[in-house]
Amino acid sequence: MALPRRIFLMILLFILSTSQFFLVISGLSTLPFWSQDVHSTFPFSIYSFPHGSPPGQHQHHHHLHHHPSNSHYTAESAFKAGYSVEETVSPELVKYDNYTGDIYGIMVDAGSTGTRLSAFHFVKSLRPPYMRLMAECGKHLKPGLSYYAAQPDLVYENIVPLMSRAMECIPKYLWATTPMELKATAGLRLLPPFIQDRILDNVKDYLKSHSPFVLSHDESISIMEGIDEGLYSWITVNYLLDTLHHKYEGEEVPEKEHSIKRLFQKEKLKQQTVGTLDLGGGSMQITFIPLYDWTIAKAPPEFIHRVRIFGEKLKLYSWSYLGFGLMSARMQMFGLPQENSDEAWQSTSNRLQSACVHPDITVQWQHASTDYVVSGLPHHSSSHNTSVPSSSSRFLECYHTASDLVSASIHHESEISKEVFYAFSYFYDVAVEAEIIGHVAGGEIAVGVFRLRAQEVCDEEKRPERPFLCMDLSYISALLMDGFGFREDQRMVLRKKINGVETSWALGAMFHLLNTFHNTSQLELPRN
């Protein structure tokens, strides 16, 4: 009887080993995590590592571990209650990837034209890239905080819906340990300091008394420096494109050792990352890793920033141009001074005219809590005294106005013409409005397409539903080519989202918040 028992055990072992083999093979065949959409209209989407998959590979995993207080908790009820983030990562991840826990954080982007909540869910690992984004949950509403400049005591109206959404996104039992920040950008930077302080103090008072989340330090509610906006946007895009991950895994080269291997690593990282262009309402930012030392040497010193990202020291070219966001540029193209100047607050005229607007159009426009009447240059009855330009010259006059605006203020860097750039925010929105790209997918275009489309739009018959499109296209094309020095045939990528996550500074800023709150030393961003 001993022989049959031995044969039985051998057969059993063979079956078990075969099943494990096919689990490994199925895990290796899954798509990379970054090819999947991490955004959901529900509270957090659910992702986890498949059996046997190598680091960085994920698949949808619709099994949800039971909520600690309810053994009958289901995935469907989790979505409705906002608990779907609570799934504990599978044992395979714990074993293979040195998983050390879930981390959540909330970032509120208080922009010039709207306010956006982004709640992020990460898993923390001891292996690169150390923080893996699992999901994003959020809400966007208009207007921005600057709208309340005249009535700062009502600014809580802008915050209440966002906090309601945040409490849907984050499991209730984690509210008291989830850090939150609200960072205002150019919309508030352009307001007088006493109005800035009044608005932010009211927001802070409201959140301290009504929000269950953690405001970890005095600057949790504050105005973000423009340079931070550019750096964080660059980190967001390159993190989502996976250009910053796994570059040094298994390559233990001492940081101070100037070896050939490390130099090759540096050069490889430079070539794999992309530059970013972020056009907001009040400011715009440009950031990239210079390929050449002479770019760093001849750039203005304040444009070069030494940072540490995921354990690697880098030199970034980055600058924020306050007053050159799309809405601020419109004001200057209408002939008003920069909004952050003393003259801007002395101006009382609310009637704005420009050759960039069709002469037969008059529209209402609200900007920074002020109502304006916008129109084109008027027709004159006398043929000898006609100030309105013809349709063909309307584009030229509009473009020259934009070109004069940017040429004297934008640093022209020759290496920019050799870099790959991702552009987003109003670059994307205007391209969609002009039908240059599709609304969902975005696209890759030649920079000169903005100028060609501007000429077409400026020459069209009046389009009251798009009164600013001629002006906006003219400004963007002049900014890129006459300001920064992009070639007309140079390609750029226009994206609103990458793998379902917004291309904004919020994700990059979240890494910095988590570093200060959880001491994730791999994500330090010190600057000299």
Side-chain angles (χ1 to χ4, degrees):
M1 296 299 292
L3 183 60
R5 184 178 300 167
R6 183 178 298 172
I7 293 174
F8 173 79
L9 290 174
M10 292 176 64
I11 293 173
L12 182 60
L13 287 171
F14 175 78
I15 292 172
L16 290 173
S17 62
T18 303
S19 64
Q20 290 298 316
F21 173 78
F22 281 109
L23 282 175
V24 171
I25 293 300
S26 65
L28 291 172
S29 66
T30 58
L31 291 173
F33 169 65
W34 297 109
S35 68
Q36 304 199 30
D37 190 342
V38 299
H39 183 270
S40 174
T41 54
F42 296 107
F44 289 106
S45 305
I46 304 173
Y47 295 86
S48 68
F49 288 82
H51 294 280
S53 67
Q57 290 195 338
H58 299 58
Q59 67 180 2
H60 287 287
H61 187 70
H62 295 286
H63 170 71
L64 186 69
H65 289 256
H66 296 309
H67 187 266
S69 63
N70 186 353
S71 60
H72 300 289
Y73 205 65
T74 65
E76 182 178 0
S77 64
F79 277 129
K80 292 179 180 178
Y83 283 104
S84 60
V85 297
E86 193 275 323
E87 90 284 23
T88 53
V89 181
S90 65
E92 289 77 13
L93 175 58
V94 177
K95 176 182 177 181
Y96 195 92
D97 206 49
N98 296 315
Y99 161 79
T100 61
D102 295 286
I103 294 181
Y104 308 90
I106 298 169
M107 188 63 60
V108 179
D109 172 0
S112 59
T113 58
T115 311
R116 182 185 300 276
L117 167 88
S118 294
F120 297 103
H121 170 209
F122 300 86
V123 292
K124 188 177 178 182
S125 167
L126 297 178
R127 300 168 62 97
Y130 307 112
M131 301 285 284
R132 299 180 185 275
L133 177 64
M134 302 299 281
E136 179 194 27
C137 172
K139 183 180 183 69
H140 184 213
L141 55 83
K142 295 183 177 181
L145 297 187
S146 57
Y147 173 81
Y148 298 91
Q151 295 178 298
D153 292 339
L154 299 180
V155 72
Y156 71 91
E157 296 177 350
N158 195 265
I159 305 301
V160 172
L162 298 178
M163 288 302 97
S164 297
R165 178 58 173 162
M167 288 187 281
E168 293 175 355
C169 294
I170 305 293
K172 186 174 183 179
Y173 73 97
L174 294 175
W175 288 354
T177 57
T178 298
M180 179 182 73
E181 284 189 347
L182 181 147
K183 295 296 184 183
T185 56
L188 250 63
R189 287 199 296 268
L190 291 169
L191 294 177
F194 72 94
I195 297 180
Q196 297 176 13
D197 294 340
R198 183 78 178 274
I199 289 175
L200 291 179
D201 287 344
N202 287 340
V203 171
K204 189 178 299 185
D205 290 344
Y206 177 83
L207 290 176
K208 283 183 175 180
S209 58
H210 293 84
S211 168
F213 305 108
V214 181
L215 300 177
S216 59
H217 54 90
D218 293 340
E219 296 300 313
S220 293
I221 310 299
S222 61
I223 295 179
M224 176 183 284
E225 294 293 332
I227 194 63
D228 288 340
E229 200 172 341
L231 291 172
Y232 291 146
S233 295
W234 184 88
I235 293 170
T236 295
V237 169
N238 283 279
Y239 180 92
L240 295 174
L241 291 175
D242 201 21
T243 61
L244 299 176
H245 298 167
H246 311 299
K247 304 306 177 202
Y248 306 102
E249 187 173 2
E251 299 286 345
E252 297 296 334
V253 183
E255 188 171 300
K256 294 182 179 180
E257 182 181 326
H258 299 286
S259 64
I260 300 260
K261 180 182 288 188
R262 188 160 192 86
L263 289 174
F264 279 148
Q265 288 177 332
K266 288 278 191 182
E267 292 306 312
K268 185 178 180 182
L269 182 59
K270 286 182 183 180
Q271 294 167 8
Q272 289 175 328
T273 58
V274 300
T276 54
L277 291 161
D278 185 356
L279 180 62
S283 65
M284 72 85 49
Q285 293 79 34
I286 180 170
T287 306
F288 65 94
I289 297 183
L291 288 171
Y292 310 112
D293 290 339
W294 51 262
T295 299
I296 297 174
K298 71 185 188 67
E302 62 272 22
F303 282 48
I304 304 301
H305 305 271
R306 292 170 174 82
V307 302
R308 182 191 293 271
I309 301 173
F310 305 135
E312 186 60 38
K313 286 185 176 179
L314 301 171
K315 289 182 181 179
L316 291 177
Y317 176 108
S318 184
W319 191 246
S320 177
Y321 291 90
L322 183 62
F324 287 85
L326 190 65
M327 300 302 128
S328 296
R330 282 182 184 177
M331 297 296 287
Q332 293 186 74
M333 291 179 69
F334 279 121
L336 296 179
Q338 278 201 26
E339 292 164 289
N340 58 333
S341 66
D342 294 336
E343 295 85 355
W345 295 100
Q346 297 170 5
S347 174
T348 57
S349 174
N350 69 337
R351 301 193 66 85
L352 306 176
Q353 292 182 324
S354 171
C356 301
V357 180
H358 192 280
D360 295 331
I361 288 180
T362 300
V363 295
Q364 299 286 330
W365 180 49
Q366 187 178 76
H367 175 61
S369 73
T370 301
D371 293 318
Y372 296 97
V373 178
V374 173
S375 61
L377 296 180
H379 289 286
H380 290 273
S381 56
S382 171
S383 59
H384 299 290
N385 187 21
T386 303
S387 63
V388 60
S390 66
S391 61
S392 58
S393 64
R394 189 179 304 129
F395 162 71
L396 294 177
E397 185 165 343
C398 186
Y399 188 88
H400 287 155
T401 300
S403 182
D404 290 343
L405 173 62
V406 301
S407 296
S409 303
I410 304 298
H411 181 249
H412 192 108
E413 175 50 60
S414 59
E415 186 180 325
I416 286 174
S417 64
K418 301 176 176 63
E419 296 280 346
V420 176
F421 278 88
Y422 273 58
F424 41 94
S425 301
Y426 277 119
F427 286 116
Y428 174 91
D429 294 338
V430 172
V432 169
E433 185 183 2
E435 301 176 347
I436 294 173
I437 58 172
H439 176 67
V440 177
E444 180 178 320
I445 66 167
V447 170
V449 170
F450 277 114
R451 192 176 192 276
L452 292 174
R453 189 69 180 113
Q455 186 167 3
E456 294 172 354
V457 169
C458 294
D459 292 351
E460 287 178 354
E461 294 301 313
K462 66 176 182 178
R463 298 286 295 271
E465 73 279 9
R466 303 190 306 180
F468 295 105
L469 192 54
C470 169
M471 176 179 283
D472 294 346
L473 286 168
S474 297
Y475 174 68
I476 287 176
S477 54
L479 175 68
L480 293 174
M481 292 191 291
D482 298 349
F484 288 117
F486 281 85
R487 301 189 318 273
E488 191 171 358
D489 63 345
Q490 187 172 344
R491 311 295 293 181
M492 71 162 37
V493 181
L494 297 165
R495 295 288 293 273
K496 185 177 182 65
K497 295 182 179 182
I498 299 174
N499 297 304
V501 180
E502 292 284 340
T503 48
S504 75
W505 55 261
L507 177 58
M510 178 54 60
F511 287 132
H512 188 261
L513 171 59
L514 294 180
N515 179 58
T516 58
F517 190 74
H518 290 288
N519 193 28
T520 53
S521 58
Q522 301 94 340
L523 304 174
E524 294 176 8
L525 293 172
R527 288 185 298 278
N528 295 335

